[in-house]
Amino acid sequence: MQGIVAAEAPADTVLERLVHELGVRLAGEVGIVLSDAGERRQAGPPRLLEHPAVHSVVTSGVPAFVPDVGGTARVRRLAVSPITVSDGIAGALAVARAGEIGTGERAALAALGASLGLALENARLAARQRRFAAELAAHVAAARRELEAIDRAKSAFVATASHDLRTPLTALRGFSELLATRRFTPEDVHRYARIIERETERLGRLVEDLLDLSRLEQGGEPPLRRSAVTVHAALESAVALFVRDDAAHRFTLACDAGLPDVDADPDALDRVLKNLVTNAIKYSPPGEIHVAARAVDHGVEISVADHGAGIPPEALARVFEPYYRAPGTARVARGTGIGLAVVKALVEAHGGTVDVESTAGRGTRFFFTLPARRPLP
């Protein structure tokens, strides 16, 4: 009986095997009823399982003996024993047969019911252990895959960051050498100086992102020097760089009238805006990029929207993770995968929130809130 219960087989199959083996050995009809967590399973002749004595034993846990169950010319006796487990009654074992079922045999059936309960409980624990081991193995495998993915992402990040650092450094070195060794017209000097200014700013943003990411991974927060910041002026300043240098995209700026100042670090807000606008430029074809601000409860919501291909729904929940890049983005543009993680860290350090909504083929809108410097009227 213990061997049958311990086998890895469906519960109904185990019960059928038990009923068959016990029926052969006890030379009679055998029925088993199990009730576990409100689920009832049974095996054996229906007329036996439906006898009131079986129901009584399952309910009360008190053994029952019926001298004659009737239904045939010969006397058929019925003995029902409870199947007990550590926390109560698990069911009943019923045996019906012609001839005597003596007191000693009924006691043996009661012991058999207790043994059956113990075997079932051991089997339940073994099954739970197997399930736990399988779940643990699945969790370990998933964690290993995630770590491998992070490791690959970090390797790609190092390669991309090295490229992104080298590009502005190369430009700075080349144009500074030209200015130092040759004579140019004032117009050329101004043009080269603008390039050096742009590449220096690009290099500075990347270095700041790397520093913020390092603080984030160590559990720290970006340092902030907060003051009252006029939203419209901050948006104009951030967008002006791209209006000057990007002829492929049109930039529109819309701010509600009467917006309160926000309580923010001006440099941090500028970096958040430039990260979001840079993303919009990278991942959308030539067209309009819309930057807007509106008043919300206790603060201001700022958004950057494009008309690109959009972000797949399954990737939306992960776009703010460090090193994560949505599937297919690598084919569209280079990137380190840290810009949006830094955006989230900077916004949340202000006590604000950041989110994204996207529709395939229609574009993406990132939006974040910052607290107002003064209460809204």
Side-chain angles (χ1 to χ4, degrees):
M1 185 176 64
Q2 289 174 346
I4 292 172
V5 172
E8 292 188 34
D12 292 336
T13 302
V14 169
L15 287 185
E16 293 290 348
R17 290 176 182 171
L18 281 172
V19 164
H20 173 73
E21 294 296 334
L22 291 173
V24 171
R25 282 158 176 77
L26 299 175
E29 291 183 331
V30 174
I32 296 177
V33 175
L34 293 178
S35 180
D36 184 19
E39 184 180 9
R40 182 183 174 94
R41 295 180 182 277
Q42 60 186 37
R47 62 178 180 176
L48 179 61
L49 297 171
E50 294 167 4
H51 195 282
V54 175
H55 176 73
S56 172
V57 172
V58 171
T59 305
S60 67
V62 178
F65 175 69
V66 180
D68 186 4
V69 296
T72 63
R74 298 179 63 188
V75 173
R76 293 179 66 254
R77 291 172 172 78
L78 170 65
V80 187
S81 298
I83 297 173
T84 56
V85 292
S86 58
D87 56 353
I89 307 302
L93 168 65
V95 178
R97 72 179 183 206
E100 283 298 326
I101 302 179
T103 304
E105 196 166 8
R106 275 182 266 159
L109 288 175
L112 188 61
S115 297
L116 181 56
L118 179 62
L120 289 170
E121 194 158 39
N122 288 339
R124 186 190 304 166
L125 290 173
R128 189 177 300 166
Q129 283 185 318
R130 288 194 297 270
R131 186 167 61 251
F132 174 76
E135 290 175 356
L136 181 61
H139 286 310
V140 169
R144 185 173 61 250
R145 288 194 299 271
E146 186 173 350
L147 287 173
E148 289 171 351
I150 290 174
D151 191 53
R152 288 194 299 271
K154 284 191 173 184
S155 298
F157 160 77
V158 170
T160 303
S162 301
H163 176 274
D164 286 353
L165 286 168
R166 187 169 58 245
T167 300
L169 284 172
T170 302
L172 290 173
R173 180 178 179 180
F175 285 107
S176 61
E177 284 181 355
L178 284 174
L179 290 173
T181 57
R182 298 185 187 180
R183 290 184 175 275
F184 293 98
T185 64
E187 290 79 11
D188 285 337
V189 171
H190 180 69
R191 181 162 56 87
Y192 293 155
R194 287 279 300 279
I195 294 173
I196 291 173
E197 177 191 20
R198 182 175 65 246
E199 294 300 326
T200 301
E201 184 172 345
R202 177 181 169 190
L203 183 61
R205 286 203 308 273
L206 182 56
V207 170
E208 288 294 332
D209 283 352
L210 291 172
L211 290 174
D212 282 339
L213 181 64
S214 176
R215 294 188 193 100
L216 186 63
E217 290 190 330
Q218 294 173 19
E221 289 189 349
L224 301 177
R225 293 177 292 276
R226 299 168 80 147
S227 61
V229 179
T230 303
V231 175
H232 188 274
L235 267 59
E236 274 191 333
S237 174
V239 172
L241 173 71
F242 303 100
V243 172
R244 185 179 66 196
D245 296 331
D246 185 355
H249 293 85
R250 300 187 311 278
F251 298 89
T252 61
L253 182 59
C255 289
D256 284 356
L259 280 179
D261 291 347
V262 291
D263 183 27
D265 181 317
D267 292 335
L269 176 56
D270 186 66
R271 289 173 54 211
V272 168
L273 290 168
K274 286 177 178 174
N275 259 319
L276 293 179
V277 174
T278 298
N279 261 18
I281 291 171
K282 278 184 182 180
Y283 301 113
S284 64
E288 182 179 281
I289 292 174
H290 187 62
V291 181
R294 66 187 183 97
V296 294
D297 289 342
H298 310 298
V300 174
E301 180 190 274
I302 300 171
S303 62
V304 177
D306 63 55
H307 297 282
I311 300 171
E314 64 275 11
L316 282 175
R318 300 190 60 193
V319 293
F320 294 106
E321 294 179 13
Y323 311 114
Y324 179 77
R325 301 195 69 199
T329 54
R331 296 194 303 269
V332 179
R334 293 180 63 89
T336 58
I338 65 173
L340 291 177
V342 170
V343 164
K344 185 174 188 290
L346 288 173
V347 170
E348 291 183 348
H350 284 84
T353 59
V354 61
D355 209 341
V356 59
E357 55 189 21
S358 187
T359 304
R362 298 184 60 183
T364 301
R365 175 177 173 265
F366 285 92
F367 53 97
F368 63 95
T369 60
L370 293 176
R373 186 69 172 182
R374 57 176 174 78
L376 292 173

